[in-house]
Amino acid sequence: MHEASIAQSVLDIAVDNCRKAGYTRIESIRLKIGRASGIMPDALFFAFNALKTDTIAAEASVLIDEIPVSGFCNICGKDFVTEEKFILHCPECSGTSFNIKTGRELEIIDMEVF
Amino acid sequence: MKVKVVTRILEVNERIAAENRRLFDEAGVYVINLMSAPGAGKTSLLEKTIKELGGKIKTAVIEGDIAGTSDAERIGSLGVPVIQINTGGACHLDANMINEVLESLPLKEIDLLFVENVGNLVCPAELNIGEDMKAMLLSITEGDDKPLKYPLMFQESSALILNKMDLLPYTNANTEKIRKDAASLNPSLQIFEVSCKTGQGLSEWAEWLKTKVKN
């Protein structure tokens, strides 16, 4: 999707939170990225590394916790987790009525600062 | 030292989208974020829809394009308020771009606001702008494989308008396949088959819109 603008948002939020907490340097930032969020991690790393120059995050690395797509099937009544980014059928019973629970996350969890 | 952040990365957009939504609700404006690939017929659909709705529902349009004002001129010639946003390269509209032009629209005098997003089947579906509904247009000449290739747009939309149905005999597209795949991605999706060229299906679409408008 828009890895460069996402990377800029990550940088802005991280720098802001670091300063508010009274620290001056960011060592790492941990993100939670759902597999169906449309983010390509490599493109995000590339953009972040370009944008972080001359900021308090200049030495910072980005760590990504990838969250798989999971949900609950209304047909078979089971919870499921899949490796796919998008699903059309419940992986268990092939039913087409289900609710997605995870996989669209786009969050900053925490960061290491000094 | 570990610092907890727990912040949604798109938080700024979501905050501004909520503010837009509040302004729309206060003024009683129903907002449709209209999305499609370039050339599917978004502006043509808006021209026909505005005519079909007549003067009974007061309509306005925000046009989003990378460059140019030709779409806004087409809509403006129908006598409805229109604002052109040129994104200057960005492939979608975001909540802030909408927020910045709202003061130029007479919101209190508007019942229905269409936001014609930048032609693109990917990114516009990712961002809320404060709309009540996302609607997407797919022209039949684009092919029947699009729901499975661009699933998010079909999942996020409440209505799918299949345009250029007059050209169906000249394509290999199968409308049943589109209906089936789209419904499996989004069971509550409302599907309309129209032709902006012949007028087919436009009254049904307009009637459905009338049921959505708040006052």
Side-chain angles (χ1 to χ4, degrees):
Chain A
M1 192 179 65
H2 304 102
E3 282 79 359
S5 55
I6 297 285
Q8 186 65 56
S9 295
V10 168
L11 188 61
D12 292 344
I13 294 168
V15 167
D16 191 39
N17 276 272
C18 178
R19 290 218 172 100
K20 274 186 193 153
Y23 296 89
T24 53
R25 195 159 64 84
I26 302 173
E27 184 168 272
S28 65
I29 306 168
R30 199 154 57 97
L31 310 181
K32 190 195 273 187
I33 304 281
R35 266 197 206 129
S37 67
I39 294 296
M40 291 171 64
D42 284 349
L44 184 64
F45 294 143
F46 179 82
F48 183 82
N49 287 335
L51 292 166
K52 70 182 183 182
T53 317
D54 298 331
T55 72
I56 61 170
E59 304 296 319
S61 53
V62 166
L63 314 167
I64 292 183
D65 288 357
E66 266 200 303
I67 310 295
V69 174
S70 74
F72 175 78
C73 175
N74 298 319
I75 309 289
C76 67
K78 286 183 191 158
D79 288 311
F80 60 81
V81 180
T82 173
E83 293 299 305
E84 303 293 322
K85 287 186 175 173
F86 289 101
I87 57 166
L88 295 172
H89 309 284
C90 163
E92 298 284 332
C93 76
S94 298
T96 54
S97 172
F98 50 80
N99 297 316
I100 295 294
K101 286 182 181 167
T102 67
R104 297 285 303 276
E105 294 81 357
L106 212 52
E107 291 167 27
I108 302 181
I109 306 170
D110 56 29
M111 53 190 189
E112 287 286 345
V113 295
F114 292 93
Chain B
M1 170 72 196
K2 183 163 285 195
V3 174
K4 285 263 174 221
V5 183
V6 197
T7 302
R8 284 170 304 174
I9 296 168
L10 295 175
E11 178 192 46
V12 173
N13 188 71
E14 283 163 35
R15 206 170 59 226
I16 300 171
E19 165 68 8
N20 292 349
R21 184 60 186 271
R22 191 183 62 75
L23 293 170
F24 294 140
D25 284 346
E26 262 179 24
V29 185
Y30 192 83
V31 182
I32 297 182
N33 180 358
L34 185 64
M35 311 176 292
S36 82
K42 290 183 297 300
T43 311
S44 296
L45 180 74
L46 291 183
E47 287 174 321
K48 299 290 180 182
T49 304
I50 290 164
K51 286 180 187 161
E52 196 72 37
L53 291 172
K56 286 173 217 141
I57 291 177
K58 295 193 186 63
T59 309
V61 177
I62 295 176
E63 284 285 346
D65 285 294
I66 288 177
T69 56
S70 60
D71 284 358
E73 285 158 17
R74 285 169 62 185
I75 298 294
S77 72
L78 299 173
V80 301
V82 58
I83 291 182
Q84 176 81 52
I85 298 177
N86 281 145
T87 63
C91 52
H92 61 279
L93 295 174
D94 64 30
N96 194 45
M97 296 179 200
I98 301 298
N99 191 265
E100 283 176 354
V101 300
L102 284 188
E103 61 180 15
S104 312
L105 275 178
L107 285 184
K108 289 210 160 58
E109 294 161 28
I110 297 169
D111 303 317
L112 178 60
L113 173 64
F114 287 103
V115 179
E116 182 181 327
N117 219 310
V118 180
N120 177 344
L121 277 184
V122 187
C123 318
E126 299 278 357
L127 288 175
N128 290 325
I129 54 173
E131 69 274 55
D132 290 274
M133 178 211 294
K134 289 184 171 74
M136 71 168 292
L137 193 61
L138 179 72
S139 57
I140 201 69
T141 49
E142 289 167 62
D144 56 23
D145 54 356
K146 293 302 167 289
L148 299 188
K149 282 189 171 179
Y150 301 91
L152 185 65
M153 178 124 332
F154 291 82
Q155 284 171 328
E156 293 287 319
S157 295
S158 302
L160 165 64
I161 302 107
L162 294 174
N163 188 27
K164 307 188 189 177
M165 286 302 290
D166 54 304
L167 296 178
L168 180 63
Y170 308 104
T171 73
N172 295 324
N174 178 343
T175 47
E176 282 315 304
K177 175 171 164 53
I178 295 174
R179 283 180 174 275
K180 184 171 149 281
D181 291 345
S184 65
L185 287 165
N186 180 353
S188 60
L189 187 67
Q190 290 279 333
I191 303 177
F192 299 90
E193 296 183 9
V194 311
S195 164
C196 291
K197 184 105 177 166
T198 67
Q200 175 195 338
L202 289 169
S203 58
E204 277 172 80
W205 156 246
E207 286 304 314
W208 187 70
L209 284 178
K210 285 180 193 166
T211 68
K212 297 285 172 190
V213 173
K214 290 161 192 167
N215 45 354

